[in-house]
Amino acid sequence: MYTLAPAPTFLSDDFLLQTETARRLYHEYARQMPIIDYHCHLPPDQIAADRQFENITQLWLHGDHYKWRAMRTHGIPEQYCTGEASDWEKFEKWAETIPYTLRNPLYHWSHLELKNPFGINEVLNPASARSIYDSCNEQLPNLSARALLKHFDVRVVCTTDDPLDSLEHHKVIAQSDFSVKLLPTFRPDKAMAADDPASLRGYIQKLAVVTNREILNLTHYLDALKSRHDYFGEMGCRLSDHGLEMVYAEPYKEGDVQRIFDHLLRGVDVSPIDVLKFKSFMLVQFAEWDHAKGWTQQFHLGALRNNNVRRLRELGPDTGWDSIGDFPQAASLSRFLGGLDDRNQLAKTILYNLNPADNEVMATMIGNFNDGSVRGKVQFGSGWWFLDQKDGMEKQINTLSNMGLISAFVGMLTDSRSFVSYSRHEYFRRILCNIFGNDIENGELPNDVEWVGQIVQDICYRNAEQYFGF
């Protein structure tokens, strides 16, 4: 009679670590490394105010569209996601949902987040919901926004900020004795949104107020935006970020762009080609400003956003109605990066793709523009959004290893609005160590744990520290 071997314990200290070498790499080298979160959506006002969360729902479920999507799929009404249900009722419905998320990364993430920082090893389900809710809430007085950043040993947080933002909360942190650096990231997507002329005109009006400038033509507009770019630099900004379907690289003449901007300003219709020309022109301006300041530019490519028009109208953006798009990437990326490189204006660059079919495109594209001037100057970024899970991370790591240098990789980020999402760094580090450990035990890499451990530590922390120069 066949006897089953005991199953490994879920979420043990050796979670995801399949070999002894993998375990050694993680526990001796990766585990203790600090965190640089160079791209996230944490609210700066909550860090400045050192927000105290009243309950675990406010910390864990408010704003988390990953969890909302799972709850909706499970048949949970909207009132328990974004609606008027009480915080306990929302937590209870999440506890009802999570047993059915098996093999979804939410199952791993959620239990990692309960284990760290709350020390809860119990599986969340309807039977355990009340005790877990109460246990988390009892600990929250010691887990404010700043305390959580310190708990996870975060050294730098780069938020995502519109050029119009006053950055007043970043000023509060800069003038305080808080040891974690809170730096802004320049995210000018709204400043180039010519496909929504009415919103762009409203944006231009707001920019005129913020900069105390009259904006009557393209030159005025660029000068006003450049003044905000300069201000972000004064506030410690070292990165820009662009969330785009694809990089825009439509050929244009500056005279054409001046005409297009004049039409946009006056409410005259512009053609789809003119929209692409304007976006392409603006991307080049931002890229050249970044290069002049030594910043890193990030491009998050391939999201098809706001697919459910009814829910967008009812709930607004960033509430869980986005998906992977299948936009062409290679040719426009080559034209854009190549044009900047040809003029010696190419800043350090990180490319993130949302469509896994583009992994090899990104991993080979970066090699075209790594010119030896900076180690890993152009990077294939970590698995993003729908891909920041075990399968997505493994594929990104393997593709970059096959077609580039994983040793130069700047590693993981949270891309999150939650203060407990730093467990994703642990998740990434375990996966990374497991890949290297398996290779060593399969004889595919030398059994030099000390050297490989140094590479692991570089990827976890030191590469980012050196690359961004905070």
Side-chain angles (χ1 to χ4, degrees), residues 397-404:
I397 290 168
N398 286 327
T399 304
L400 179 55
S401 298
N402 286 331
M403 299 177 181

Side-chain angles (χ1 to χ4, degrees), residues 164 198 200-210 213 215 265:
L164 301 184
L200 181 59
R201 283 192 295 277
Y203 190 87
I204 293 168
Q205 292 168 3
K206 293 176 183 176
L207 177 64
V209 172
V210 168
R213 296 165 182 250
I215 300 178
L265 202 58

Side-chain angles (χ1 to χ4, degrees), residues 51 76 82 92 101 113 120 133 213-214 227 244-245 286 288 291 309-310 312 319 365 368 398 410 416:
R51 180 180 175 183
I76 302 297
T82 63
E92 190 177 29
T101 66
E113 290 164 359
I120 294 173
Y133 186 78
R213 296 165 182 250
E214 195 173 37
S227 73
L244 309 172
E245 293 177 348
F286 298 138
E288 291 181 349
H291 178 266
V309 177
R310 174 173 62 90
L312 173 65
T319 51
M365 186 63 67
N368 298 327
N398 286 327
V410 292
S416 176

Side-chain angles (χ1 to χ4, degrees), residues 308-326:
N308 191 319
V309 177
R310 174 173 62 90
R311 288 305 199 181
L312 173 65
R313 185 171 58 249
E314 294 170 352
L315 303 174
D318 301 321
T319 51
W321 314 101
D322 310 311
S323 64
I324 293 171
D326 57 353

Side-chain angles (χ1 to χ4, degrees), residues 119-357:
I120 294 173
N121 293 297
E122 192 175 2
V123 171
L124 179 59
N125 55 42
S128 64
R130 187 77 236 187
S131 64
I132 289 176
Y133 186 78
D134 291 341
S135 177
C136 290
N137 291 347
E138 288 171 4
Q139 298 180 58
L140 283 176
N142 298 317
L143 294 173
S144 64
R146 295 193 194 185
L148 283 164
L149 294 176
K150 293 288 289 182
H151 170 83
F152 287 107
D153 198 11
V154 181
R155 303 294 174 86
V156 182
V157 174
C158 294
T159 56
T160 304
D161 311 278
D162 188 273
L164 301 184
D165 198 297
S166 69
L167 306 184
E168 59 189 289
H169 306 297
H170 297 79
K171 288 181 183 177
V172 170
I173 293 296
Q175 295 168 1
S176 73
D177 60 358
F178 187 47
S179 61
V180 179
K181 288 185 179 181
L182 180 68
L183 304 179
T185 297
F186 191 78
R187 177 75 174 256
D189 293 354
K190 293 179 181 177
M192 53 184 281
D195 43 357
D196 188 351
S199 293
L200 181 59
R201 283 192 295 277
Y203 190 87
I204 293 168
Q205 292 168 3
K206 293 176 183 176
L207 177 64
V209 172
V210 168
T211 59
N212 195 27
R213 296 165 182 250
E214 195 173 37
I215 300 178
L216 301 177
N217 55 47
L218 180 62
T219 300
H220 292 168
Y221 187 50
L222 294 177
D223 288 346
L225 282 171
K226 179 63 164 55
S227 73
R228 299 306 296 169
H229 194 273
D230 292 341
Y231 173 63
F232 271 58
E234 294 167 6
M235 292 298 298
C237 180
R238 294 295 178 268
L239 297 98
S240 68
D241 185 56
H242 306 267
L244 309 172
E245 293 177 348
M246 56 187 288
V247 163
Y248 303 107
E250 186 72 23
Y252 59 80
K253 295 180 180 178
E254 192 160 333
D256 291 337
V257 181
Q258 291 173 346
R259 170 187 56 80
I260 294 165
F261 183 81
D262 182 59
H263 287 179
L264 289 167
L265 202 58
R266 294 189 291 113
V268 177
D269 289 342
V270 295
S271 69
I273 291 296
D274 282 347
V275 168
L276 291 177
K277 287 181 178 180
F278 181 76
K279 289 186 171 186
S280 301
F281 171 82
M282 294 303 297
L283 269 188
V284 169
Q285 307 310 302
F286 298 138
E288 291 181 349
W289 298 347
D290 291 350
H291 178 266
K293 286 188 173 69
W295 290 6
T296 299
Q297 57 183 356
Q298 301 174 95
F299 295 96
H300 286 84
L301 305 174
L304 186 62
R305 300 176 188 269
N306 302 319
N307 296 272
N308 191 319
V309 177
R310 174 173 62 90
R311 288 305 199 181
L312 173 65
R313 185 171 58 249
E314 294 170 352
L315 303 174
D318 301 321
T319 51
W321 314 101
D322 310 311
S323 64
I324 293 171
D326 57 353
F327 308 101
Q329 302 290 351
S332 59
L333 257 177
S334 178
R335 285 196 300 271
F336 176 73
L337 297 175
L340 292 168
D341 181 79
D342 193 46
R343 301 191 305 279
N344 197 28
Q345 296 286 305
L346 179 59
K348 290 179 287 187
T349 302
I350 306 177
L351 305 176
Y352 309 86
N353 59 290
L354 197 56
N355 190 334

Side-chain angles (χ1 to χ4, degrees), residues 28-30 32-33 453-462:
E28 294 184 17
Y29 293 92
Q32 72 272 23
M33 297 305 290
Q454 290 182 46
I455 297 294
V456 164
Q457 290 183 330
D458 289 345
I459 296 168
C460 292
Y461 178 76
R462 286 193 292 258

